[in-house]
Amino acid sequence: MSVEASGPTRSTCPYCGVGCGVLATRNDDGNVSIAGDPDHPANYGRLCSKGAALGETFDLEGRLLRPLIDGKPAPWDRALDMVAERFTQAIETHGPDSVAFYLSGQLLTEDYYVANKLMKGFVGSANIDTNSRLCMASSVAGHRRAFGADTVPGTYADLELANLIVLVGSNLAWCHPVLYQRIVAARTRRPQMKLVVIDPRRTETASAADLHLKIAPDGDVALFLGLLAHLGKTGSFSDDYIRRSVGGLDEALASACAHDLEDISTRTGLSHRDLQQFYELFATTERVVTVYSQGVNQSVSGTDKVNAIINCHLATGRIGRAGMGPFSVTGQPNAMGGREVGGLSNMLAAHMQIECATDRDRVQRFWASPTIATRPGLKAVDLFDAVADGRIRALWIMGTNPAVSMPDADAVKAAIANCPFTVVSDAMTDTDTVRLADIRLPSLTWGEKDGTVTNSERRISRQRTVLPTPGLARADWWQMTQIARRMGFVEAFDYEGPADIFREHAALSAFENAGERDFDIGACARITTSEYDAMRPFQWPAPDVIAPTRQTRFFGDGRFYTSDGRACAVAVTAPPGATAPDRLLRVNTGRIRDQWHTMTRTGKAPRLNAHIAEPFCEIHPADAAFRDISPAQIVKLSNERGEILIRALITDRVRRGEVFVPMHWNDQFANRARIGTLIEALADPVSGQPALKAGLATLSRVSHKLYGFAVSPEKPPAGLCDYLAMARTQGGWRAEFALEDVPDDLPSFARHLLRHGGVQEIGYADADNGRRRFAFFEGERLVGAVFLAEEPVQLARNTLIAALDHLYSPTERWQVLAGCARHGIDTGRIVCACESVGANTIRNAIASGCHNVEAIGKATRAGINCGSCRTEIASLLPSLQTATAAE
Ligand SMILES: Nc1nc2c(c(=O)[nH]1)N[C@H]1C(S)=C(S)[C@@H](COP(=O)(O)OP(=O)(O)OC[C@H]3O[C@@H](n4cnc5c(=O)[nH]c(N)nc54)[C@H](O)[C@@H]3O)O[C@H]1N2
Ligand SMILES: Nc1nc2c(c(=O)[nH]1)N[C@H]1C(S)=C(S)[C@@H](COP(=O)(O)OP(=O)(O)OC[C@H]3O[C@@H](n4cnc5c(=O)[nH]c(N)nc54)[C@H](O)[C@@H]3O)O[C@H]1N2
Ligand code: SF4
Ligand SMILES: [Mo]
């Protein structure tokens, strides 16, 4: 490990699993500026829109800054005593399995390590699960079935070295933007490199592909079974590799050959031609990487999808060599670190197995612990069921927001609310989950905390402190340690800082490990605290004695972690086709480019809210027409679990019979838009990962009599409107809303919405079309405006947003009501978040002769920075619209 020189603080982005290095510099005014770290091997200086906007998210508004017991401030000692007492009591009265931790892939490795050690080695239960169960549990299970260990074989460089990249259920351009940009750059250098995207939706990623397979939901197992059969038929198998290193292939192939092309076509919804094209491309390209993410993992057939993909790589021997291999990209910044410490309920520390007595004995001896969990604990869905039916008496939630992100979210919310004792450690005072807690513990968050994370390619990097500790917030590892000590385990949790914990974690990885276990970072077992502080990013394995032939990839040598050392091709079977019952639509859910999960951080950044400012539902034109739904109306999605209200976005990006809804919106930013409410808690039988992309719901139009848009310095109150979505702007808030009944007194409604009392109001009414507009002034300063109409409000939002807080003389005020205030220019919807360039500006540049993305960039600055928006810019160029396969 090399030691770095001083300069700006080097840290790692808190968002996605790409794990980009950032340089954070504290300026004299106390602000922090953020830049990409040119020396970090994940990003070489690049950042995406979210990483680049980090500087806008440091304010302390809404932060939880001291412990609260039943909503009232309390000293740390009292809160900690109470937590320790209630957990101890539950364990003594009802046994170790009556308590549970529910953690997060956004914790640091050190936080995660102590939590896992406390629960499995000292409480003696394995009831510790995490949001990673919702995220990549199927990949973990698939890896373990195929490789005998949860190993990611490849590295990011493989994506640049490949001649074919297949993205399955991954919207990489929006969800792993810097990795995607690396692929874009490699394709520019080597135009022979092909990109295939397999997704039921035409995402931004799919728009840029050579071939987009608009697959039927959950058609993936069938698709890859068909591919395996094709590879077998065309002599593409690597007989030598199979003979030495792969077991089970005959059975796997027999299962694949049970389907002819016609059957695969029916199950995938893809034409013979598209199937053939993909199969031939795969068969004839040696260097192929198959990247997969939530379209694979979050499914009842998730683990089978993973193995169906891995089978094709094993059979061709395309694994662990440059430019080849299956590649599960992780979502959260430390999803991989969580796997390394064994933070899931069916794992043990350092990639050891909870089912294995030797492993359990080894971990217990290493920890010198009084006990060790002897069997897997409850997985997320079962865990919250156990909370609901009273089996769990004390629950600690840390760094995750399950009232939004779990399936059947209202049931989860009720379960948490009814649990006899719930502690939530979070950075925010009020989230949909935090508000349910008996005790709220204030956690340090990104920029304040200090430790390590591991990215998708097994690279361990430091997150470092850049900001002062706010209020009484404390690190998560510190909170866990304090409870452990109060429960009587003083010596085992005697850490002074993250470096102590990391050393122990590294030592455990190397303990009695002569190469039998993949995860080994023995090289760090004895590093000093200053070496830890200066640690540069490194990839594991990093054993104590590094072999001269050290490999950064796994399995190229054909040696696996199974008992016979051979990989296992799993004979999977295709699930029955996913057709929704009559009149119900299949509800697909996922992410948008500029929001992160439940928006607690990205929701603070005005420029991230400018891309997409409210919850929406992508609906196929035929499904919309059938239900008489027109563009931009507010629609209802409902089923027996509840209902949500969202904006209709009518588009043929989605397949007929399917809708797509973002996962992000929650009760803090909208009235009723938590999509988790509608999703049934069905899980993959092997991994326990819920099928979050497979909701079923009825779609209907709602007859709203009034639609509105408002700008306001204050967050509007939630109760006034049937539909309400709010987003931060530079000077305050913007709100979109709709009402089923028109209030009698519209001026008074507008004042309530803006929380305005005595300010001066001017108004405009058009009796012909029912439009009403109000603007409020304090002296000459615009302090709010409300636009109402009987149909969805058509207005250049940015003009009004920019006008807020500016001065208008009495003769100029009409401009605000006319929606053309002089301080705002109608740039249209913001496409480029870094440079705040809107769609209208880009369209104007195209009209004045810019014919490619580069020229548009030169003329408008759009897309010149992080590049996340470049595919979206391209989509505005008529000539570059890519054809998609099967509709
Ligand atoms: N901007 C942004 N980036 C993020 C995050 C974020 O919140 N915001 N979160 C991070 C996290 S934790 C994660 S896990 C990753 C997730 O990254 P991704 O998995 O890329 O993102 P998703 O949007 O959840 O889903 C990907 C795609 O799966 C498709 N899909 C749905 N069903 C199927 C199916 O049956 N088969 C196939 N082949 N595809 C299907 C969806 O249409 C969707 O486009 O993103 C990470 N990066
Ligand atoms: N419908 C649907 N649901 C989904 C998904 C989907 O695709 N569709 N995706 C699933 C996936 S892959 C994931 S990963 C989950 C993500 O879902 P969650 O994990 O529930 O979402 P986050 O908003 O990331 O929650 C993080 C919480 O931690 C708090 N926090 C921030 N920093 C710290 C810290 O340092 N310490 C502590 N203690 N707290 C902190 C934040 O304020 C926030 O409340 O959602 C899952 N749910
Ligand atoms: S791609 Fe973006 S969100 Fe992901 S780590 Fe890099 S800068 Fe952060
Ligand atoms: Mo995730």
Side-chain angles (χ1 to χ4, degrees):
M1 242 130 289
S2 52
V3 171
E4 72 172 76
S6 60
T9 306
R10 286 175 197 275
S11 191
T12 314
C13 176
Y15 300 118
C16 83
V18 177
C20 296
V22 299
L23 297 177
T25 313
R26 275 194 82 179
N27 306 327
D28 294 339
D29 59 7
N31 286 334
V32 175
S33 46
I34 298 286
D37 180 352
D39 297 329
H40 196 290
N43 57 319
Y44 298 108
R46 291 188 187 90
L47 289 178
C48 77
S49 49
K50 294 181 295 301
L54 263 174
E56 289 181 19
T57 64
F58 296 140
D59 71 74
L60 296 181
E61 196 183 316
R63 283 291 300 275
L64 178 61
L65 296 174
R66 53 166 87 174
L68 303 178
I69 300 178
D70 293 331
K72 292 183 205 66
W76 265 109
D77 271 341
R78 230 180 85 221
L80 292 168
D81 286 346
M82 200 160 154
V83 176
E85 203 181 289
R86 294 295 298 262
F87 270 77
T88 308
Q89 236 173 41
I91 295 164
E92 277 170 4
T93 325
H94 303 279
D97 288 334
S98 69
V99 300
F101 295 163
Y102 185 66
L103 312 178
S104 166
Q106 293 165 71
L107 296 177
L108 301 173
T109 299
E110 293 75 4
D111 305 321
Y112 234 135
Y113 178 85
V114 283
N116 190 53
K117 179 176 176 183
L118 174 59
M119 186 52 95
K120 296 202 178 120
F122 291 79
V123 172
S125 167
N127 282 346
I128 167 170
D129 215 42
T130 90
N131 60 5
S132 290
R133 182 71 59 197
L134 317 180
C135 186
M136 43 53 186
S138 298
S139 280
V140 174
H143 289 158
R144 285 169 67 169
R145 287 205 303 198
F147 310 145
D150 174 25
T151 318
V152 173
T155 70
Y156 291 163
D158 291 326
L159 299 176
E160 292 160 328
L161 297 168
N163 288 324
L164 169 62
I165 294 181
V166 184
L167 298 176
V168 196
S170 154
N171 187 5
L172 207 74
W174 278 14
C175 296
H176 298 89
V178 167
L179 198 52
Y180 179 75
Q181 288 305 322
R182 285 180 63 167
I183 297 177
V184 171
R187 276 174 96 199
T188 314
R189 286 193 303 272
R190 292 192 303 113
Q192 73 272 25
M193 183 172 164
K194 294 274 183 285
L195 181 65
V196 174
V197 172
I198 299 164
D199 194 309
R201 287 194 307 146
R202 191 173 66 247
T203 57
E204 288 296 328
T205 315
S207 303
D210 296 293
L211 176 66
H212 170 210
L213 300 180
K214 211 170 177 184
I215 193 170
D218 285 344
D220 308 84
V221 174
L223 178 71
F224 282 89
L225 283 175
L227 174 60
L228 187 69
H230 178 90
L231 294 169
K233 255 187 280 176
T234 52
S236 314
F237 282 3
S238 169
D239 295 330
D240 192 39
Y241 190 81
I242 296 168
R243 204 174 312 112
R244 276 189 296 122
S245 307
V246 186
L249 194 63
D250 290 345
E251 294 80 358
L253 187 60
S255 163
C257 291
H259 308 276
D260 60 14
L261 201 63
E262 181 55 31
D263 185 31
I264 304 279
S265 168
T266 312
R267 288 165 184 270
T268 56
L270 300 170
S271 67
H272 287 219
R273 203 194 52 160
D274 287 331
L275 289 169
Q276 287 290 0
Q277 197 183 342
F278 169 53
Y279 290 169
E280 273 159 32
L281 197 55
F282 195 109
T284 53
T285 315
E286 173 81 351
R287 289 184 171 225
V288 43
V289 177
T290 309
V291 175
Y292 50 93
S293 187
Q294 298 316 337
V296 166
N297 293 335
Q298 289 172 342
S299 157
V300 284
S301 56
T303 310
D304 283 353
K305 291 187 188 187
V306 171
N307 287 109
I309 292 169
I310 292 176
N311 286 349
C312 297
H313 282 270
L314 289 174
T316 49
R318 296 175 189 160
I319 185 166
R321 292 189 284 144
M324 302 173 213
F327 204 136
S328 145
V329 281
T330 46
Q332 298 180 90
N334 200 29
M336 291 285 272
R339 283 147 80 161
E340 288 151 23
V341 304
L344 288 164
S345 64
N346 55 330
M347 293 162 82
L348 202 54
H351 282 203
M352 281 180 268
Q353 318 240 352
I354 198 164
E355 299 87 353
C356 168
T358 322
D359 282 356
R360 290 199 304 267
D361 173 63
R362 183 181 298 119
V363 175
Q364 188 174 3
R365 279 187 288 115
F366 181 85
W367 280 341
S369 65
T371 172
I372 190 93
T374 51
R375 57 192 158 90
L378 296 167
K379 300 184 175 117
V381 169
D382 299 334
L383 190 149
F384 284 102
D385 279 350
V387 174
D389 66 23
R391 277 174 288 152
I392 301 296
R393 320 282 307 174
L395 171 68
W396 191 349
I397 297 169
M398 190 176 250
T400 176
N401 195 353
V404 182
S405 54
M406 280 289 292
D408 210 352
D410 282 3
V412 167
K413 199 169 146 182
I416 300 171
N418 294 331
C419 183
F421 185 66
T422 307
V423 191
V424 178
S425 296
D426 203 285
M428 303 301 286
T429 306
D430 194 14
T431 71
D432 297 2
T433 301
V434 171
R435 57 171 63 170
L436 307 172
D438 297 301
I439 295 197
R440 307 179 201 192
L441 299 178
S443 293
L444 296 177
T445 183
W446 192 83
E448 302 151 4
K449 62 184 185 178
D450 184 33
T452 53
V453 290
T454 309
N455 73 3
S456 294
E457 60 163 356
R458 290 175 273 106
R459 193 177 296 281
I460 298 180
S461 301
R462 291 279 273 110
Q463 275 193 16
R464 294 189 174 88
T465 308
V466 212
L467 299 159
T469 292
L472 297 178
R474 291 289 176 269
D476 294 307
W477 70 263
W478 181 88
Q479 299 176 24
M480 255 314 148
T481 306
Q482 290 297 315
I483 298 303
R485 291 185 196 171
R486 280 169 167 78
M487 289 172 79
F489 313 121
V490 178
E491 233 170 88
F493 291 88
D494 188 20
Y495 309 109
E496 279 176 16
D500 291 341
I501 304 170
F502 187 76
R503 274 189 290 267
E504 183 179 309
H505 165 60
L508 175 55
S509 76
F511 184 57
E512 299 174 359
N513 184 2
E516 301 87 354
R517 308 197 305 269
D518 61 342
F519 178 64
D520 186 343
I521 53 166
C524 301
R526 283 182 298 278
I527 56 170
T528 63
T529 300
S530 52
E531 281 168 339
Y532 174 78
D533 286 339
M535 187 194 285
R536 299 299 300 268
F538 71 98
Q539 235 171 342
W540 65 259
D544 194 8
V545 183
I546 297 177
T549 55
R550 179 170 178 246
Q551 269 286 356
T552 51
R553 297 184 182 89
F554 283 89
F555 311 139
D557 60 0
R559 224 178 46 82
F560 291 85
Y561 294 97
T562 49
S563 48
D564 64 358
R566 286 151 66 89
C568 177
V570 182
V572 295
T573 46
T579 43
D582 227 14
R583 304 185 74 85
L584 290 181
L585 294 170
R586 169 119 172 175
V587 184
N588 179 4
T589 68
R591 291 152 174 81
I592 62 168
R593 191 188 77 193
D594 286 355
Q595 290 298 343
W596 176 260
H597 294 167
T598 69
M599 306 164 77
T600 55
R601 183 181 284 277
T602 44
K604 286 182 168 220
R607 68 169 137 149
L608 297 182
N609 294 332
H611 182 232
I612 297 176
E614 65 179 325
F616 61 90
C617 179
E618 289 178 354
I619 307 167
H620 190 274
D623 290 323
F626 181 69
R627 291 164 181 81
D628 201 17
I629 292 168
S630 38
Q633 270 185 340
I634 302 303
V635 291
K636 181 160 81 179
L637 269 180
S638 59
N639 60 25
E640 63 278 19
R641 273 171 290 279
E643 61 175 56
I644 66 165
L645 295 177
I646 40 193
R647 182 81 61 182
L649 200 165
I650 300 171
T651 168
D652 66 359
R653 287 202 289 261
V654 286
R655 289 160 38 101
R656 202 171 169 177
E658 294 162 24
V659 293
F660 175 83
V661 179
M663 63 163 292
H664 308 288
W665 273 270
N666 55 76
D667 295 356
Q668 311 302 314
F669 296 97
N671 260 9
R672 278 184 286 172
R674 274 184 312 124
I675 183 65
T677 299
L678 303 186
I679 314 249
E680 192 182 353
L682 286 177
D684 177 282
V686 185
S687 68
Q689 177 156 357
L692 288 158
K693 305 248 180 285
L696 285 177
T698 309
L699 172 70
S700 49
R701 58 171 287 161
V702 188
S703 22
H704 286 116
K705 296 213 172 60
L706 197 66
Y707 282 84
F709 172 76
V711 290
S712 161
E714 305 270 332
K715 191 175 182 182
L720 282 180
C721 310
D722 298 300
Y723 169 79
L724 174 67
M726 301 160 285
R728 278 269 198 104
T729 64
Q730 203 66 50
W733 291 82
R734 58 182 286 176
E736 301 281 351
F737 56 92
L739 291 100
E740 283 182 45
D741 297 305
V742 181
D744 295 335
D745 183 352
L746 284 174
S748 139
F749 164 81
R751 278 177 186 278
H752 272 108
L753 191 74
L754 303 188
R755 302 177 189 268
H756 276 321
V759 292
Q760 202 189 341
E761 164 199 315
I762 62 165
Y764 155 91
D766 187 333
D768 286 347
N769 55 24
R771 286 189 195 140
R772 295 289 301 266
R773 299 177 168 184
F774 301 95
F776 296 90
F777 292 89
E778 231 165 38
E780 297 205 325
R781 197 163 59 89
L782 179 70
V783 292
V786 177
F787 283 55
L788 303 166
E790 286 167 4
E791 69 286 352
V793 173
Q794 291 199 15
L795 172 81
R797 265 65 171 168
N798 289 338
T799 315
L800 215 56
I801 290 166
L804 194 68
D805 230 18
H806 279 98
L807 304 182
Y808 293 87
S809 68
T811 55
E812 293 170 326
R813 289 179 181 175
W814 63 271
Q815 294 175 4
V816 176
L817 292 180
C820 59
R822 69 179 148 77
H823 288 287
I825 302 163
D826 179 16
T827 57
R829 186 177 54 81
I830 296 297
V831 174
C832 170
C834 297
E835 302 287 333
S836 289
V837 187
N840 291 351
T841 313
I842 295 168
R843 282 196 195 97
N844 289 342
I846 296 170
S848 58
C850 299
H851 293 310
N852 57 41
V853 177
E854 278 64 40
I856 294 171
K858 281 211 180 85
T860 66
R861 300 184 62 78
I864 59 166
N865 187 14
C866 80
S868 313
C869 61
R870 289 168 67 93
T871 40
E872 203 168 335
I873 298 172
S875 72
L876 297 173
L877 280 161
S879 59
L880 284 191
Q881 281 167 1
T882 349
T884 64
E887 196 67 30

